[in-house]
Amino acid sequence: MELYLQLTQFYQDYAAHVDRADWDAWIEMFTDDCTYSVQARENHERGLPMAALSLDGKGMLKDRIYGITETIFHDPYMQKHIVSAPRIISHSAELIEAQANYAVFRTKYDGIAQVFNVGRYIDRIRPTDEGLRFESRLCIFDNDMILNSLIYPI
Amino acid sequence: MELYLQLTQFYQDYAAHVDRADWDAWIEMFTDDCTYSVQARENHERGLPMAALSLDGKGMLKDRIYGITETIFHDPYMQKHIVSAPRIISHSAELIEAQANYAVFRTKYDGIAQVFNVGRYIDRIRPTDEGLRFESRLCIFDNDMILNSLIYPI
Amino acid sequence: MELYLQLTQFYQDYAAHVDRADWDAWIEMFTDDCTYSVQARENHERGLPMAALSLDGKGMLKDRIYGITETIFHDPYMQKHIVSAPRIISHSAELIEAQANYAVFRTKYDGIAQVFNVGRYIDRIRPTDEGLRFESRLCIFDNDMILNSLIYPI
């Protein structure tokens, strides 16, 4: 039960950090040797490697954030994540495997909220002395038509 | 608390099975004498019987799945369910009455995710030796304009 | 844990009352000296006072409901709230500070469900002898283009 509550808060913290574009807090949710990727469901299910975003290690996460905040020319937008309760697949003292469905709504300057990305998080989470950390987070999305504008992490 | 966690996992398992189109796992979540229906809110609130889908007993669930997978000519689509935390209405050793809001997003081959069906699950759930089982699940939806394409269970 | 469960039920009760347009039950979820407001994220983040709706004290909540049900000429619509798990910010015996993301879907008589309002609840909740009560609920929304038709509480 304690684990479930901790995991739920961890998931909601993640959503809050990304929605606020608090990228430093986002990076700190991962282990140093983490994997983060955003991939179409079809590719994931067929075991194909192509992904919209695929980052290995905290250094690449920092790089991506630097790109977003300093170099990529893009139309800013706001995100709002609705994340379901976690579904715990397995857990031990070293590793939690869990999943959750998500829907991300995007609002641009025109003020209209749109369904932006819907999918499933597939997570490996490591308990550490500083709290839970993502060893890997895969964002497996159903829709694949708006990726040219996927700028921020999901 | 234990019940709440068990129920939450049960609800998220349901979403995962339906989203993956794992129909065998879906069927096994129901009791033999189950009721499953998908009905417009207006009809439900007026006590009218007409429903988009109304299945009585596990045999009819199997029939429907056979229809979907073997006989109905239709455009396939993917579903993604976002299901809220359960709202427990009452519970005893024999029966749990609970409800939850849901939003189902559909993605067709064009790759665009759309709001497909939004509503409330109204459930009667029986604890059994093999875990929780739906005695009845009513999917009461607000929107009623896309039913000609409702193929899969909600 | 007990608190978390109580809070989750409270949030889902809120969604259920508003979705059913059970305004008496909605009003009873607030303290006498409550604040309820619905405000664009941009204004909230800049500390600007302008809000789509801003009510102080239970009397103003009752007034608003009287307006909705008796005097405002409007197109009725149905709401469906998907509310995430609460993120507990702080809690003591007198006060709980918590937040949750929400997506509200609106369905008009044409039967089509639309993304209506997406945002974050920022709450101060007081435990009382009759259960939890909102001392303040701020609904901070991302999208700001459909407010001319915001009639009911979010």
Side-chain angles (χ1 to χ4, degrees), chain A residues 87-147:
Chain A
R87 186 172 177 238
I88 298 175
I89 308 297
S90 75
H91 64 98
S92 68
E94 290 81 35
L95 183 70
I96 304 157
E97 292 185 291
Q99 302 184 1
N101 280 2
Y102 67 83
V104 182
F105 300 89
R106 175 181 71 175
T107 303
K108 294 188 139 188
Y109 276 146
D110 61 8
I112 295 169
Q114 289 179 300
V115 178
F116 179 54
N117 197 284
V118 299
R120 167 171 291 255
Y121 291 126
I122 300 181
D123 298 321
R124 293 168 62 86
I125 294 160
R126 212 183 285 161
T128 75
D129 293 343
E130 290 82 39
L132 301 179
R133 293 290 181 272
F134 287 112
E135 190 177 297
S136 75
R137 162 152 276 196
L138 313 182
C139 314
I140 306 301
F141 58 91
D142 286 5
N143 62 301
D144 58 0
M145 278 301 286
I146 45 173
L147 281 181

Side-chain angles (χ1 to χ4, degrees), chain A residues 8-9 13 19 81 110-111, chain C residues 4 41 86-88 101 144-145:
Chain A
T8 302
Q9 296 300 295
D13 286 347
D19 287 350
H81 284 64
D110 61 8
Chain C
Y4 178 76
R41 179 168 164 180
R87 185 172 177 238
I88 297 175
N101 280 3
D144 57 0
M145 277 302 286

Side-chain angles (χ1 to χ4, degrees), chain A residues 1-2 4-5 8-9 12-13 15-17 19-20 78-83 105 107 110-113 115, chain C residues 1 4 41 45 82-88 99 101-103 105 115 118-120 140 142-146:
Chain A
M1 287 303 307
E2 185 59 31
Y4 177 77
L5 178 55
T8 302
Q9 296 300 295
Q12 296 304 326
D13 286 347
H17 296 332
D19 287 350
R20 279 202 318 248
M78 289 185 287
Q79 294 192 101
K80 196 60 66 196
H81 284 64
I82 306 290
V83 179
F105 300 89
T107 303
D110 61 8
I112 295 169
V115 178
Chain C
M1 288 301 309
Y4 178 76
R41 179 168 164 180
E45 289 179 353
I82 306 289
V83 179
S84 75
R87 185 172 177 238
I88 297 175
Q99 303 183 0
N101 280 3
Y102 68 82
F105 300 90
V115 178
V118 299
R120 167 172 292 255
I140 307 300
D142 286 5
N143 61 301
D144 57 0
M145 277 302 286
I146 45 175

